[in-house]
Amino acid sequence: MRAFSGVLCVLAATAAWGAQAPSLMGPAKLDGYLVLPFENQSSVKVLDWQSSALAVTLADKLESHPLLRPAYGPAIFDRIDPSTSFNAEEVARAANAAAAKWVFAGLFARPNWKSELTLRLYKVVVFGEKVTLDLVAETRSVEPREAIQTQLDNNLLTLLERAGWTFDSSVMGALSRHPTKDLYAYTLFGRALNAELGIGEERNVGTALKLFKRVILVDPKFAEAHRFYAMVLLAFGERSRATAELARALDLRPGYHAALQGLAQIYRETNHARAMEAAEHILELRPDDVETRTLVAELALETGDLDRALLEAQKVVAAEPSHLGAHHTLALAYASQGATTDLARELEQIEELAPTDVEVKLDLASSYQRLGKYDKAIAAYEDVIKRQPRHTGALKLLGDCYRRQGQLDRSIVIYQRLLHASPEDPRPYFLLGAVYEQSGNDRKAVELFQEAQQFPRYVGEAWTNLGSLALRHGDLTKAIWYLSRAVARAPTRPKGHYNYALALSEKKERQRALDELKIAGDLDPSDAEIRYTEGVILLRLGRLDEARQKFLEALKRRPEHADAKHNLALLDELERRYGGEHAGAGAR
């Protein structure tokens, strides 16, 4: 077999032959398998899109099988470095480390302008400390180019039959499903995946973003494209748009496992209850999904349900003894319980599994951070930075920890290091500007936000911040200049509309201010301050009944909102004394 360039896709599968031992998580303990990016055996570079498109489609087909469970991250190809060439020994070791028993590989070419496609299935064989691959089955076909998806279906079914794998008719629909009917959309999809995941080229999420937009334009019903597009949007910090894309993917493909996982991960950062709801729904569909069960354990830990956290993490470790995420959760749960003996055992296990792995330390630090144990998180991030002084992820998170603890001077120093390590990244400019603003150094904050205007994609955000600072210093003309342009440049940012409304209200243009607040409220339905501010402006306009409703809406979103309570009490007193709508002093 020729050298493959690419990374591994880790899933989990079961052959239908033979009885299986029961699993703590489901009816059977499933065999694992890997899928490699397909290899272009021709010299035609224009065919490279098939490397990721065919492999992702194959993985998705197998993932849809009710007896299979995925064990890879959202990026799918994430087990080895994309620049690492394939060799049997390395793949065998990676498969064994991932508890995988099978490896799928694919080859393609274009003889006489037709599509030649080969699928191979290998078995991972362990002899003591030696791990090798044995070829179990192979299938090859040559078909018209436009029939490549049907060709993949037929080859897969033939390969499974030759390997002796059986499946009932209910699986046929999933194995034969085509993600799109449009070959051009499928081609663009492969090119976008290559750019996003770094398959056969340097990773470039900017290129991926443009290509996924084109894919969705060509075929708006391409669910998988919406899902991967959401991943790219998340890389750019576009959480709301990513959520919308994942929701669209689920509308197009109800029960889409990867989209549900993506939503659960997004909700994890903002809404634990919805994250847990999404994760539990996934487990109803796939009880053996170890990654989602690990997420449930982590969510339970973060909300203080230690018994649930231990139960779920122990189930994962029973199924995959080397699962680092589950061991991390167990360690943190034991630490929270004060179970020192169990904690020491788990930490030793983690060190044994990954003694020098920086990512392991980052995961531990992140877990400490989520639990609010900032001293331990800081120590772990500092250890990473000692090893890799320019590690941008560790620098960013360390700065966040110092900021959360109120150590603003230290946070500034760390964010400055992050800026010097990654001057082409817009995030450090905004982080550093925000912490300068928080510390009262508005002059330095303005300098940073002005520098951030060099990034066209984030000009709207920079103008929002500059306008807000101008408004705070009473420079209404400058504030209006920045904020009016900010809402035009970044119309989906509620902060811009909110601050523009404040500026308009100061200018006595209160109806326009209400219009901007309406937009901000639609963009952020959970924000209490937007509703409260609407109430204040309505109160000043003498529209007391409407104001009362807005103050009630603010309290519904934030019951402890003191100013909303004060103004409601004021309105109640006016109603008691005079009845009807009366404007009065004392509102705040």
Side-chain angles (χ1 to χ4, degrees), residues 9 11 56-57 59-60 63 70 72-78 189 193 196-197 212 215-216 220-235 241-250 252-253 256-263 266:
C9 159
L11 308 164
V56 166
T57 303
D60 190 66
E63 186 178 324
Y72 51 85
I76 297 184
F77 304 115
D78 56 4
F189 178 63
L193 287 173
E196 179 184 0
L197 306 176
F212 278 123
V215 176
I216 293 168
K221 295 184 177 182
F222 197 157
E224 292 76 8
H226 285 281
R227 200 273 281 193
F228 280 96
Y229 182 35
M231 287 177 55
V232 178
L233 290 171
L234 283 175
R241 291 178 63 194
T243 302
E245 291 300 326
L246 290 171
R248 177 59 175 155
L250 282 167
L252 294 167
R253 186 178 164 189
Y256 185 10
H257 180 256
L260 284 169
Q261 281 186 316
L263 283 175
I266 290 176

Side-chain angles (χ1 to χ4, degrees), residues 102-168:
W102 311 99
V103 174
F104 285 85
L107 314 166
F108 60 89
R110 184 185 284 183
N112 299 320
W113 292 92
K114 291 190 175 183
S115 172
E116 180 181 308
L117 183 62
T118 301
L119 292 186
R120 290 172 178 165
L121 174 62
Y122 295 89
K123 183 177 182 181
V124 181
V125 181
V126 181
F127 297 101
E129 296 184 359
K130 186 177 181 181
V131 188
T132 62
L133 295 179
D134 280 353
L135 182 63
V136 175
E138 177 176 314
T139 179
R140 172 184 171 277
S141 66
V142 178
E143 301 288 347
R145 286 180 298 157
E146 60 274 12
I148 190 168
Q149 293 191 71
T150 301
Q151 184 182 17
L152 177 65
D153 297 343
N154 294 337
N155 276 24
L156 175 59
L157 295 175
T158 301
L159 186 74
L160 298 180
E161 290 171 1
R162 289 181 180 177
W165 292 25
T166 59
F167 43 85
D168 61 45

Side-chain angles (χ1 to χ4, degrees), residues 15 38 74 85 137 215 219-220 247 300 326 328 348 362 403 416 446 464 467 494 512 520 524 529 538 540 558 563 568:
F38 285 24
S85 296
V215 176
D219 184 359
H328 291 164
E348 288 172 0
L362 284 173
R403 187 179 176 187
Q416 285 173 336
V446 167
T464 296
R512 287 183 64 196
D524 191 351
E529 204 62 29
L538 288 164
R540 289 171 178 167
R558 202 170 86 206
D563 289 341
L568 277 172

Side-chain angles (χ1 to χ4, degrees), residues 2-10 34-40 48 51-52 55 75-87 90-91 94 104 106 193-194 197-202:
R2 288 177 53 192
F4 287 83
S5 61
V7 288
L8 300 180
C9 159
V10 183
L34 307 178
V35 175
L36 307 180
F38 285 24
E39 180 193 357
N40 185 357
D48 282 350
S51 295
S52 55
I76 297 184
F77 304 115
D78 56 4
R79 286 294 173 166
I80 61 174
D81 192 314
S83 62
T84 303
S85 296
F86 171 88
N87 64 63
E90 181 179 309
V91 172
F104 285 85
L193 287 173
N194 284 349
L197 306 176
I199 306 301
E201 60 185 70
E202 288 293 325

Side-chain angles (χ1 to χ4, degrees), residues 368-501:
Y368 283 131
Q369 190 174 354
R370 287 195 296 270
L371 287 172
K373 300 179 181 294
Y374 292 107
D375 290 339
K376 291 184 177 181
I378 285 170
Y381 287 131
E382 292 278 15
D383 187 42
V384 171
I385 292 169
K386 285 179 184 177
R387 296 168 185 254
Q388 297 184 17
R390 297 176 66 84
H391 193 295
T392 56
L395 286 168
K396 189 268 182 189
L397 293 168
L398 178 60
D400 292 348
C401 285
Y402 281 132
R403 187 179 176 187
R404 285 286 185 90
Q405 284 201 315
Q407 300 183 54
L408 301 184
D409 289 343
R410 286 194 169 191
S411 179
I412 287 171
V413 171
I414 296 300
Y415 286 149
Q416 285 173 336
R417 290 179 61 182
L418 175 62
L419 180 60
H420 293 146
S422 184
E424 74 287 349
D425 185 345
R427 291 179 303 169
Y429 294 88
F430 288 99
L431 291 168
L432 193 52
V435 78
Y436 272 129
E437 183 179 355
Q438 188 177 349
S439 66
N441 192 340
D442 287 354
R443 180 182 63 80
K444 290 293 291 184
V446 167
E447 289 179 9
L448 266 296
F449 294 139
Q450 286 176 339
E451 288 187 56
Q453 293 177 96
Q454 67 183 283
F455 303 101
R457 185 178 179 83
Y458 296 95
V459 166
E461 189 73 19
W463 285 345
T464 296
N465 292 338
L466 289 166
S468 302
L469 286 166
L471 181 63
R472 192 164 73 191
H473 286 276
D475 192 339
L476 194 56
T477 300
K478 184 181 288 186
I480 292 287
W481 191 94
Y482 276 122
L483 292 167
S484 62
R485 286 159 177 78
V487 297
R489 188 65 176 260
T492 61
R493 301 283 189 175
K495 178 182 175 183
H497 291 283
Y498 176 78
N499 286 313
Y500 189 30

